[in-house]
Amino acid sequence: MEQGRLKDLLERARKLEDEIEVEVARHRAELGSEFEGGRVRFKAEVRRRHRAARQKWRDFLRGARLGVLLTAPVIYSLIVPLVVLDIWVSLYQWICFPAYGIARVRRRDFIAIDRHHLAYL
């Protein structure tokens, strides 16, 4: 009895996954984006709208609240510790993982740096 129920639940889960994939594909088409080789690609019209929405630094600074301007250096100061952390984690993998027979993790499988594809930034 339990195995039959488990198989039924698994089948329902697979059907839901298929429905979710179809819905996600539909939304991507509406937004004018697609994935190629794990990276997002925007259609020309979407890139044009992104460029039109771009704001110049001068205009941003003129319209920014004082709190935003005062906290920005603190926020961006985290770049240094994050870079140090990334270097440390990489060294840890290179040194310790082979000693314990653990395969190294490829960064590109888990971290995507693709902001440069957004023309409005």
Side-chain angles (χ1 to χ4, degrees):
M1 178 78 177
E2 285 296 317
Q3 273 189 329
R5 176 149 169 74
L6 183 58
K7 285 182 182 180
D8 181 47
L9 288 172
L10 285 172
E11 182 59 32
R12 287 175 36 202
R14 284 187 192 106
K15 287 180 182 177
L16 281 174
E17 286 176 353
D18 291 342
E19 288 181 39
I20 289 171
E21 286 298 324
V22 168
E23 193 65 21
V24 167
R26 188 179 67 75
H27 280 285
R28 281 187 188 140
E30 285 177 5
L31 293 174
S33 66
E34 55 190 35
F35 279 94
E36 294 176 8
R39 295 182 178 258
V40 67
R41 300 281 183 229
F42 292 102
K43 294 180 180 174
E45 172 60 22
V46 175
R47 286 195 310 267
R48 187 192 62 71
R49 288 195 321 244
H50 284 180
R51 281 191 294 277
R54 187 181 297 173
Q55 185 179 25
K56 295 181 181 179
W57 275 100
R58 186 175 51 238
D59 297 334
F60 170 75
L61 291 175
R62 196 174 302 133
R65 296 186 324 244
L66 181 61
V68 171
L69 296 175
L70 293 176
T71 58
V74 176
I75 292 168
Y76 283 104
S77 71
L78 286 176
I79 291 172
V80 174
L82 289 175
V83 168
V84 171
L85 176 66
D86 181 60
I87 292 169
W88 190 256
V89 169
S90 296
L91 284 172
Y92 181 85
Q93 281 194 60
W94 290 336
I95 295 168
C96 298
F97 279 28
Y100 295 103
I102 302 170
R104 285 197 358 220
V105 177
R106 291 183 344 175
R107 178 184 297 134
R108 75 178 79 131
D109 292 343
F110 298 96
I111 297 175
I113 299 174
D114 56 2
R115 290 176 51 119
H116 58 281
H117 291 295
L118 300 174
Y120 59 87
L121 294 178

